Amino acid sequence: MPRFIRPLIAACALAATLAHAAFPERTITMVVPYAPGGAADAVARVIATRMGAKLGTSVIVDNKAGASGTIGAGFVAKAPADGYTMLYDATPHSINPHLFPKMPYAANALQPLSLVLLAPNALIVKADSPFKNVNDLIAKAKAEPGKLNFASGGSGTVQRLAAELFRQKLNLDMVHVPYKSGGPAIADVMGGQVDFMFGTVAATYPLIAGGKLRALAVSAPERSKRLPEVPTVAEAAIPGYEAYEWNGVFLPAGTPAPVVAKLQQTLVDVLKEDEVKQRLSDLGAQAVGSSPADFATFLRQEEAKWGEVVRKGQIKLD
């Protein structure tokens, strides 16, 4: 290598290091691929505000809803890989590749930054349901195949797949009743038009506490702090069963390592704050915070699990 080239390479490396050290120098956008007002949007706004405070800039939330989150995810996948555009996504990110014949972005176009939270679902029935526990429901389903029905907010939702996983594990014959969103589905369970569903603890807890719904089990491996008296599906009927709602943050692939490291550490620091942990706990969720590598491993496991459930159940989009 000619002698004069080495100083140029060193100068370029120093310039790149200084540029990354100065990050961020302007507003960061956190894209939420779901409508305003939902659980993911609410948590994203808490995270964005606190990340901005720690980074010394503004982190704004931009909702780009549609197509089960793929529109917003596709937008971020095509954004410049400079750290100024992040994706705050949720469980459908692991399910969509198995439901959409063609995704609007390549599988490797987004890189995981950190898992934000895990939240179980509650298996709910109406308050005066004859089902007092999970085994009552299972016994009825086995005694009368095809008679019990379960609701969800749509075929691509984790609520649908949690129930489908439950059905498949026990080889039960039950009917799926899809709704356009979780709210009407919960309302019809409460009214007795549908026998049961898996609903988020955040959405169902007030109705459970108010005596309008009964929780038979939760879908996490451990009991929920919000519903400590309610057993897990695993301890009640299906060892090893678990079905989480999760939230996590992604970046466009190719984002410089120093920028990735700074954003990841900032996000993890936010998730360690007592106020944030309490806010998530109030929603029935557990704050996590992880390395990009651990998040990537988690995603591979989630994608494999839900892919098998979709294929075995021959699930299609509504």
Side-chain angles (χ1 to χ4, degrees):
M1 179 185 296
R3 232 178 251 179
F4 71 90
I5 295 293
R6 290 174 185 169
L8 288 176
I9 293 175
C12 289
L14 177 61
T17 300
L18 291 173
H20 295 149
F23 175 87
E25 297 181 294
R26 54 186 170 87
T27 297
I28 297 171
T29 298
M30 179 178 283
V31 173
V32 176
Y34 309 104
D41 175 70
V43 177
R45 292 178 186 278
V46 172
I47 299 299
T49 299
R50 283 166 168 74
M51 284 189 72
K54 288 183 180 296
L55 290 167
T57 190
S58 295
V59 179
I60 62 169
V61 171
D62 183 11
N63 298 90
K64 293 186 180 298
S68 194
T70 60
I71 290 175
F75 176 86
V76 176
K78 297 175 178 66
D82 54 12
Y84 288 99
T85 307
M86 299 187 290
L87 172 69
Y88 190 94
D89 212 341
T91 318
H93 187 93
S94 299
I95 301 170
N96 290 334
H98 308 294
L99 291 174
F100 285 85
K102 185 177 181 181
M103 292 286 285
Y105 57 92
N108 61 354
L110 292 166
Q111 64 184 79
L113 183 70
S114 175
L115 185 61
V116 171
L117 64 82
L118 294 172
N121 286 280
L123 195 171
I124 54 169
V125 296
K126 66 176 182 174
D128 60 351
S129 169
F131 307 127
K132 307 298 183 185
N133 54 55
V134 175
N135 287 308
D136 284 348
L137 188 149
I138 293 170
K140 181 71 171 180
K142 288 181 176 180
E144 300 184 34
K147 292 293 180 69
L148 287 188
N149 52 35
F150 61 93
S152 80
S155 289
T157 62
V158 72
Q159 292 89 3
R160 163 70 199 280
L161 296 191
E164 181 64 23
L165 179 63
F166 180 84
R167 187 196 69 77
Q168 290 180 13
K169 289 283 188 182
L170 296 168
N171 195 29
L172 301 175
D173 181 4
M174 300 185 293
V175 179
H176 174 229
V177 182
Y179 288 76
K180 291 185 178 180
S181 64
I186 292 171
D188 274 8
V189 172
M190 191 164 55
Q193 288 85 1
V194 188
D195 293 306
F196 76 97
M197 76 174 286
F198 281 82
T200 63
V201 172
T204 59
Y205 175 76
L207 298 170
I208 296 167
K212 295 181 179 179
L213 288 171
R214 176 187 298 150
L216 303 185
V218 293
S219 65
E222 298 177 354
R223 296 192 180 198
S224 168
K225 291 181 180 179
R226 296 286 271 173
L227 300 166
E229 74 287 355
V230 178
T232 67
V233 174
E235 67 181 295
I238 310 174
Y241 178 97
E242 58 181 81
Y244 280 114
E245 298 270 0
W246 61 261
N247 288 184
V249 176
F250 299 78
L251 295 169
T255 301
V259 173
V260 173
K262 189 167 189 177
L263 288 172
Q264 188 269 345
Q265 187 59 60
T266 302
L267 177 53
V268 168
D269 288 346
V270 165
L271 292 169
K272 289 178 180 177
E273 294 179 9
D274 290 340
E275 186 178 347
V276 173
K277 288 193 291 185
Q278 185 59 53
R279 184 79 172 268
L280 297 185
S281 180
D282 290 343
L283 293 172
Q286 172 193 349
V288 182
S290 66
S291 69
D294 286 346
F295 187 22
T297 298
F298 172 83
L299 288 168
R300 285 193 294 270
Q301 294 169 345
E302 284 286 285
E303 288 168 6
K305 176 174 72 178
W306 295 129
E308 182 181 358
V309 171
V310 168
R311 287 189 296 272
K312 190 174 179 180
Q314 299 182 336
I315 296 172
K316 307 291 183 184
L317 288 172
D318 299 326

